[in-house]
Amino acid sequence: RDPPGRPGGLISTPMDPLEHVVREEWGRLTALLLARFRRLDLVEDGLGDAVAAAAESWSRDGAPDRPAGWVHAVARRRILDRLRAEAMHTRRMPLLVVEERRRESTSAAPADAVVDDEEAVEDDVLRLILMCNHPALSPEAASALSLRLVLGVSTHDIARLFLVQEATMAARLTRAKRKIVAAGIPFAVPSAAFLPERLESVARTAYLAFTAGYAPSSGPDPVRTELAGEAIRLVRLARGLVDDPILTPLLALMLLQHSRRDARVAPDGRIVLLPDQDRSRWRHDEIEEAVGLLASPSLSGPLRQATASYALQARIAAEHATAASAAETRWERIVQGYDLLLRLDPSPAAALARAVAVGEADGPEAGLEALDAVDHPNSHRVWAVRAELLNRSGCPAEAREAYTRAISLCRNDAEIAHLRARRDRLG
């Protein structure tokens, strides 16, 4: 289940303290409690109960000085109550049944295993990511579970990232959590011998989280820079554990996209498109770091598919980041980059981005032709691109219809406002 406070949950005020806890602290609270109790089922139930209690208590009495600490303390008490109840039940069971249950489930850690310092909590967040990306889970389930448990991405937004229905994703998440509990997957950093095999899944998870931060499918925010920043932090932390080429281009790609965060949204909350952004507000130190990463010797030889895919995407992003102005962007090189990427790692998102680039390089009619190859009819972004290209082609009526379709499919408030403004300019 999604914790209360997600779209459709208990909270509607954007700056509500409980919403902040659910959106920004959920992964840390999960990691902190899991470090002590080692029972994912108990941790999830305890946190869910604590958030529900907070919604009732805080609306009546006001939020406490340390909201996250309040939620942690209540969740911890609920988990301890559940453990005491289980212990009482166990005493009444035959000895053989007790032994069998112990073999099938993980046990709680001793009471003195609480993690309090900030550095340890950061390590625990990485442990939680690595636990979710255990080889016993499929890569898709592992990434989805990490996004839900660790980074607080809603089930709806995860479903949109994986191009499936929300109910389908909810069922996958439930199965993955049950498998972790049943298999007793440890909450720990694996040994050096086994760590590299999880990195590709961890990298994919981090990039999906980053994408969710800069393209949230629902909610009031045009971007969630905190979520994107947390994804970057986790990649840096993972690079400190093991030297693997896959993390180098991924970090470069994230830095190039993240460097534009101050220019993406206007003071009044409006989305600012790339051609209209004030490039003096870009973080040029991050761009320089990313360009340096792309010159790393580890990227000069034969690369695994995932590593090469991140490297291609990063080099495309570098074309945007290093152009002195929108007019000086080398769109032909960007189209060539997407052609290579689609041969190596095809996806609807890459095909959509290529159509945009073709429209810039060769004109809107060519862009529309390229867009016809994008097989993702329920994406509001596909319809938004179609509307823009139709308008540039001199077809305002058809563009207006496409904008209307995009608005009907979109669930992000800031994007809806942007699309309506674009449509209204057509008259």
Side-chain angles (χ1 to χ4, degrees):
R1 64 179 179 179
D2 279 356
R6 296 288 166 202
L10 299 175
I11 302 168
S12 58
T13 306
M15 299 304 293
D16 189 287
L18 183 53
E19 183 182 29
H20 174 80
V21 171
V22 171
R23 290 185 53 172
E24 309 301 340
E25 303 289 344
W26 190 265
R28 293 180 187 274
L29 291 172
T30 300
L32 197 63
L33 292 166
L34 196 56
R36 175 172 183 175
F37 296 106
R38 308 284 169 169
R39 287 273 304 273
L40 180 59
D41 54 338
L42 294 184
V43 168
E44 274 222 298
D45 288 345
L47 278 174
D49 290 346
V51 170
E56 179 179 353
S57 174
W58 299 0
S59 63
R60 182 183 64 247
D61 305 324
D65 292 336
R66 297 177 62 247
W70 192 100
V71 171
H72 174 265
V74 172
R76 180 169 55 83
R77 288 198 296 269
R78 297 295 171 89
I79 295 169
L80 288 171
D81 290 344
R82 172 80 176 272
L83 288 171
R84 292 188 190 102
E86 288 184 1
M88 290 290 293
H89 179 67
T90 299
R91 291 193 194 103
R92 301 189 183 100
M93 295 170 60
L95 182 59
L96 290 177
V97 176
V98 171
E99 291 300 319
E100 182 65 20
R101 290 278 180 88
R102 285 176 178 170
R103 284 194 295 268
E104 290 178 353
S105 63
T106 57
S107 60
D112 61 355
V114 178
V115 181
D116 289 324
D117 63 283
E118 185 67 16
E119 182 179 356
V121 171
E122 289 187 357
D123 288 343
D124 280 341
V125 172
L126 181 60
R127 287 190 185 97
L128 186 53
I129 286 272
L130 290 166
M131 183 193 77
C132 292
N133 284 275
H134 193 276
L137 300 176
S138 69
E140 292 79 10
S143 293
L145 189 60
S146 298
L147 293 170
R148 175 85 289 278
L149 279 184
V150 187
L151 297 166
V153 181
S154 72
T155 303
H156 166 77
D157 286 359
I158 298 171
R160 294 294 293 266
L161 286 170
F162 282 87
L163 309 180
V164 299
Q165 296 296 318
E166 185 172 350
T168 302
M169 181 52 65
R172 287 183 186 176
L173 289 168
T174 299
R175 288 194 297 270
K177 286 183 282 191
R178 286 175 179 169
K179 190 164 189 176
I180 282 181
V181 174
I185 293 174
F187 175 66
V189 176
S191 66
F194 295 99
L195 186 57
E197 71 184 28
R198 299 199 198 180
L199 281 183
E200 187 167 325
S201 185
V202 170
R204 183 185 187 196
T205 298
Y207 188 46
L208 285 169
F210 186 85
T211 301
Y214 276 112
S217 296
S218 61
D221 304 323
V223 295
R224 289 186 59 193
T225 55
E226 298 88 354
L227 176 59
E230 178 69 1
I232 291 175
R233 187 191 68 81
L234 289 170
V235 171
R236 289 193 187 277
L237 200 57
R239 287 186 86 222
L241 281 177
V242 61
D243 183 20
D244 190 283
I246 194 172
L247 299 174
T248 300
L250 175 59
L251 180 58
L253 173 59
M254 289 178 164
L255 288 172
L256 289 164
Q257 303 283 10
H258 200 50
S259 68
R260 303 201 303 267
R261 58 190 175 278
D262 297 333
R264 287 175 178 264
V265 182
D268 60 1
R270 289 181 297 106
I271 294 173
V272 182
L273 298 180
L274 176 61
D276 304 320
Q277 290 176 10
D278 180 358
R279 299 189 178 217
S280 67
R281 301 190 66 200
W282 291 2
R283 305 286 183 101
H284 293 281
D285 57 332
E286 295 176 3
I287 294 172
E288 291 176 7
E289 181 185 356
V291 172
L293 288 169
L294 289 176
S296 170
S298 64
L299 301 180
S300 60
L303 302 175
R304 301 196 306 269
Q305 179 182 359
T307 306
S309 175
Y310 291 132
L312 276 171
Q313 292 177 69
R315 292 190 170 103
I316 292 169
E319 288 289 341
H320 290 292
T322 57
S325 66
E328 296 176 66
T329 303
R330 297 183 292 184
W331 287 105
E332 293 80 6
R333 290 176 63 90
I334 292 174
V335 172
Q336 292 169 7
Y338 279 120
D339 287 340
L340 289 172
L341 181 61
L342 286 168
R343 287 199 292 271
L344 175 70
D345 188 14
S347 69
L352 177 60
R354 180 187 181 275
V356 173
V358 168
E360 295 289 347
D362 301 325
E365 290 81 6
L368 285 167
E369 184 178 351
L371 189 63
D372 289 337
V374 181
D375 185 19
H376 194 17
N378 293 322
S379 167
H380 72 276
R381 294 189 175 96
V382 171
W383 286 98
V385 170
R386 183 174 296 279
E388 181 65 23
L389 292 172
L390 284 169
N391 186 39
R392 292 185 188 181
S393 299
C395 304
E398 291 89 339
R400 185 176 178 84
E401 292 178 5
Y403 273 127
T404 300
R405 181 68 183 276
I407 292 166
S408 70
L409 293 170
C410 185
R411 287 180 55 174
N412 179 274
D413 297 346
E415 284 196 76
I416 289 173
H418 170 77
L419 293 169
R420 283 176 175 161
R422 304 286 285 190
R423 183 184 63 181
D424 291 347
R425 291 194 194 107
L426 297 177

